[in-house]
Amino acid sequence: MSLGDIAGASRPSGRLLLASLLIWLILSVALPLSALTLNFVRIGGFPLGFWIAAQGAIIGLVALVAFYAWRAGGVPVREGIRPALIFAGEIVGAVALLGFTGYIAAMGYDGLALPLGLVAGVALLAILVAPRFVLYPVQSISGFFAIRYGGSLTRRLAFLIALAATGLLLAADIRAGSLGLQSLTGIPLHQAILGLALAVAATWLAGTFLSPAKMSGGLGFVAVFVGLLATLIALAVFSTGSPLPHFSLGSALESHANLNQALVVNRLSDVKSLTPMTSPFLQLSMRNFAGLLLAVALGVVAAPHLLGRHVSQSAVAPGGAVKRTALALVGVAILIASLPPLALYSRIGFEEAMSKGIEIAAIPQSFAEASARGWVKVCDQTSPATADLAAACAKASGQRGFLRLQDLAFTTDGFVVAAPMISGLDPMLEYPLLLGVILASVLVGNALISSIVVADGEIRTKRDERAPGLDFRSVSIGGTLLVGAAVLALYSAIGTALLAAEGFALLAAGIFPSLVLGLHWRHMNAAGAIAAMLVGTLITAAYLLGVHLWPVELFSITGGLSDAPPMAAKRFAELQAALAAATTPEAEALARSALVKHVTTIANWGGLKPAAITLVAVPASFVAGLLVSLLLRPQKKKEEAPA
């Protein structure tokens, strides 16, 4: 029986698909990039551009997918809401709750690229992939590549790309969850990472004997959302007196702007240290905003733990994949729409505490606790003793005896857990969010490991064989992945939001083009799939490794692609000469440090952030797949004329 003969499957028409993709592109990309113009219009206290990126586009995407699911047809599946809740719980992890919220708090409007990308990705999954992927009798991305393209090379290459990307996603998830555990218990970060990794391992091993439905029944996502909502309402009441944070966001934005003005007037902040929440493209260019958004969106579409566990034929009936994804999108959208208010009310509470004037001689102990845990530097100092912080601040230039906003340097992840503590919020009111963060981390961590183990099982078996259960190889792969991710979580200097975005970027460039072309273009062949995967992965990996590990080499080789001004390039040459001329180990170390510090600001291609390389890698991957498939297209044998 061919794929087209499967009874009860959803079959959206080509016109419906194209129209939905066009509307998706407008809602997800075009309107958010038009915020500079749209912000001139205000609705209910909101600048229109900010409202669209924070809430409006999310509502539009939910409506679009609901309409698409209705028009796509398919035999209805009576499975209830529980599978969709489990699906949503494995989409939204600790990275979204802490990392994305902290990124919004630090970047303002520009930080909305990541959460909007997550919602846009789930919507695109429902529109572009779910109706067709579910037609294949597989349970992982490796199985799809094996059936669609044949042979072992394509599925093994897809598995390796998925393994590398999953490692980054798991590291970001563990790091974010460990911050919640650290805040809740007060233990050091390395112990929190170990504890969370053990919790993920225990959940994964239990999941080999129990299905996700039996383990949580979808209650995990409900608990995460309730925890987020409880702390959000507490912050809103504490900061502005409003118990309806989503509906009072417009007035909260005005309060935040007034607070910023008061901080500058009272010399408690300089202008550079403020975060205008509604002003777009101050810290990210439009190109980088679009790049980060698309990296997350396209990566979500190709995420192995979502495709295999929720959109494959082993998980859902052919007629139910689109509808389940649409229901999951509703839950994800409601939670993601709560992140901008959480970031805003966290900033308001913290800045209100700062606006009252905090004398350096009487720095509260909460600052020292947050500093000791690595969440914030106070006057470029981290110490558990307020006396040390006071001494460091007394030496700061322009000091007038009061703590200023520019004296504090939060990590993007640490802000969400530190701000309520510093603002004086009752710790009991923050506990629901922290517990939700830990639970979300465990749920997503289990899904990530399980999907890789299942994908490896499909590599080892033939199509008609049953995938192996828990054996030595499965435990080895899952354990190695978990240990590697935990080590990366401990030593990574990248914030969890951007670390996850880079994992999604690897999936977007390495898997997404071959997946989509394989589903929608019958001439796509194994050679084209391999070319697409190699080109996208190599471009992305080279850029990520170059920016993070070898910036000197990256700029030396590809400096012509950088947006560095001529003076910066000249300074790079001077520092290289100084390093070559160093005659002692001490001088060489100083020269190398100065060179690396300078080159990290200019080692890039066109000013792109690491994850934004998606803008280059994904089109290159599509072109490679199309060209190679056409060039190596099997020739039809000509029929001989009858004698």
Side-chain angles (χ1 to χ4, degrees):
M1 182 173 64
S2 68
L3 297 180
D5 296 331
I6 295 178
S10 299
R11 291 185 175 83
S13 65
R15 183 179 298 179
L16 175 64
L17 176 63
L18 291 176
S20 298
L21 289 176
L22 178 60
I23 297 172
W24 179 90
L25 193 63
I26 293 171
L27 291 171
S28 303
V29 182
L31 289 178
L33 290 179
S34 304
L36 282 170
T37 302
L38 296 174
N39 271 355
F40 284 105
V41 180
R42 299 183 71 87
I43 298 177
F46 279 98
L48 181 58
F50 177 85
W51 178 81
I52 287 175
Q55 295 180 349
I58 294 174
I59 296 171
L61 288 169
V62 170
L64 169 64
V65 172
F67 178 79
Y68 182 87
W70 171 58
R71 294 293 297 171
V75 175
V77 180
R78 297 181 180 275
E79 61 178 13
I81 198 174
R82 187 172 67 177
L85 291 176
I86 298 172
F87 193 177
E90 295 183 357
I91 296 171
V92 180
V95 173
L97 297 177
L98 282 190
F100 287 6
T101 303
Y103 200 61
I104 296 169
M107 306 287 285
Y109 180 93
D110 297 349
L112 296 173
L114 299 181
L116 180 56
L118 188 69
V119 177
V122 180
L124 189 60
L125 175 62
I127 295 169
L128 191 60
V129 171
R132 289 180 177 262
F133 189 85
V134 74
L135 302 181
Y136 289 81
V138 300
Q139 53 183 337
S140 73
I141 193 73
S142 298
F144 168 77
F145 275 78
I147 290 180
R148 175 59 179 83
Y149 297 114
S152 63
L153 183 56
T154 52
R155 62 179 177 178
R156 292 182 186 277
L157 183 56
F159 173 77
L160 291 175
I161 297 170
L163 179 63
T166 298
L168 295 179
L169 294 174
L170 184 58
D173 181 72
I174 290 175
R175 173 85 178 198
S178 66
L179 287 173
L181 184 59
Q182 182 189 25
S183 179
L184 194 64
T185 62
I187 61 177
L189 181 62
H190 67 277
Q191 293 181 11
I193 289 176
L194 176 61
L196 198 70
L198 291 174
V200 171
T203 306
W204 166 55
L205 292 173
T208 61
F209 304 103
L210 298 173
S211 67
K214 291 180 179 178
M215 289 179 63
S216 68
L219 295 178
F221 176 77
V222 175
V224 170
F225 177 70
V226 170
L228 168 63
L229 190 62
T231 298
L232 174 58
I233 292 173
L235 273 171
V237 172
F238 178 78
S239 302
T240 63
S242 172
L244 301 172
H246 297 82
F247 299 101
S248 60
L249 193 56
S251 60
L253 288 169
E254 294 180 359
S255 299
H256 179 255
N258 293 335
L259 265 176
N260 281 352
Q261 185 177 4
L263 287 169
V264 172
V265 169
N266 296 326
R267 299 191 200 179
L268 295 174
S269 176
D270 57 18
V271 175
K272 293 189 299 181
S273 302
L274 300 176
T275 305
M277 297 297 291
T278 61
S279 300
F281 315 126
L282 295 180
Q283 301 186 63
L284 287 180
S285 65
M286 294 175 68
R287 182 168 46 198
N288 276 313
F289 184 94
L292 291 179
L293 189 155
L294 290 174
V296 175
L298 304 186
V300 166
V301 175
H305 68 293
L306 303 182
L307 291 174
R309 291 169 65 84
H310 300 286
V311 189
S312 67
Q313 201 172 110
S314 64
V316 63
V322 178
K323 294 177 176 60
R324 180 187 291 187
T325 309
L327 284 174
L329 176 61
V330 174
V332 171
I334 294 173
L335 191 146
I336 291 298
S338 302
L339 301 185
L342 180 62
L344 178 60
Y345 287 111
S346 296
R347 285 211 71 89
I348 290 175
F350 157 69
E351 290 174 1
E352 279 185 340
M354 293 291 296
S355 68
K356 296 174 182 177
I358 300 174
E359 295 184 16
I360 288 177
I363 294 178
Q365 184 61 32
S366 58
F367 282 84
E369 292 178 8
S371 174
R373 295 174 183 175
W375 301 339
V376 60
K377 283 188 175 183
V378 182
C379 298
D380 205 30
Q381 179 81 20
T382 55
S383 173
T386 56
D388 294 340
L389 302 181
C393 289
K395 300 175 184 177
S397 62
Q399 185 53 251
R400 297 173 52 251
F402 290 92
L403 203 59
R404 303 163 301 175
L405 213 57
Q406 60 264 37
D407 296 328
L408 305 175
F410 288 93
T411 65
T412 54
D413 303 312
F415 180 82
V416 183
V417 290
M421 175 194 300
I422 290 173
S423 63
L425 182 71
D426 187 341
M428 293 293 293
L429 298 177
E430 193 181 7
Y431 287 169
L433 173 62
L434 299 178
L435 291 171
V437 167
I438 296 169
L439 178 58
S441 179
V442 172
L443 291 174
V444 172
N446 166 62
L448 290 169
I449 296 176
S450 298
S451 66
I452 289 298
V453 172
V454 170
D456 173 69
E458 279 203 300
I459 286 179
R460 290 187 275 159
T461 57
K462 296 180 181 179
R463 179 172 176 180
D464 297 329
E465 294 178 354
R466 183 184 180 90
L470 190 65
D471 56 12
F472 178 77
R473 174 163 166 167
S474 298
V475 173
S476 299
I477 289 177
T480 302
L481 176 61
L482 182 58
V483 170
V487 172
L488 181 58
L490 180 61
Y491 292 105
S492 175
I494 311 171
T496 61
L498 293 180
L499 183 60
E502 291 175 14
F504 283 126
L506 198 55
L507 290 171
I511 300 293
F512 177 79
S514 297
L515 173 67
V516 171
L517 289 174
L519 290 172
H520 293 276
W521 189 45
R522 63 188 178 91
H523 298 301
M524 185 68 173
N525 55 35
I530 292 170
M533 286 190 282
L534 286 176
V535 168
T537 302
L538 290 176
I539 291 175
T540 305
Y543 193 61
L544 295 181
L545 293 174
V547 170
H548 293 308
L549 298 182
W550 302 299
V552 175
E553 291 78 4
L554 180 67
F555 188 79
S556 298
I557 298 171
T558 63
L561 300 177
S562 172
D563 66 344
M567 290 300 296
K570 181 180 178 182
R571 177 61 177 163
F572 173 78
E574 293 172 352
L575 290 172
Q576 270 194 317
L579 176 61
T583 57
T584 65
E586 293 79 8
E588 184 178 349
L590 288 174
R592 183 174 298 279
S593 176
L595 176 62
V596 171
K597 183 178 180 180
H598 174 70
V599 78
T600 51
T601 64
I602 59 175
N604 60 62
W605 294 345
L608 289 176
K609 297 290 184 183
I613 192 62
T614 301
L615 293 179
V616 176
V618 171
S621 180
F622 268 108
V623 170
L626 290 167
L627 288 179
V628 172
S629 292
L630 290 174
L631 290 174
L632 300 181
R633 183 176 175 182
Q635 297 294 325
K636 293 183 179 179
K637 294 182 179 180
K638 295 183 179 180
E639 296 182 3
E640 296 183 4

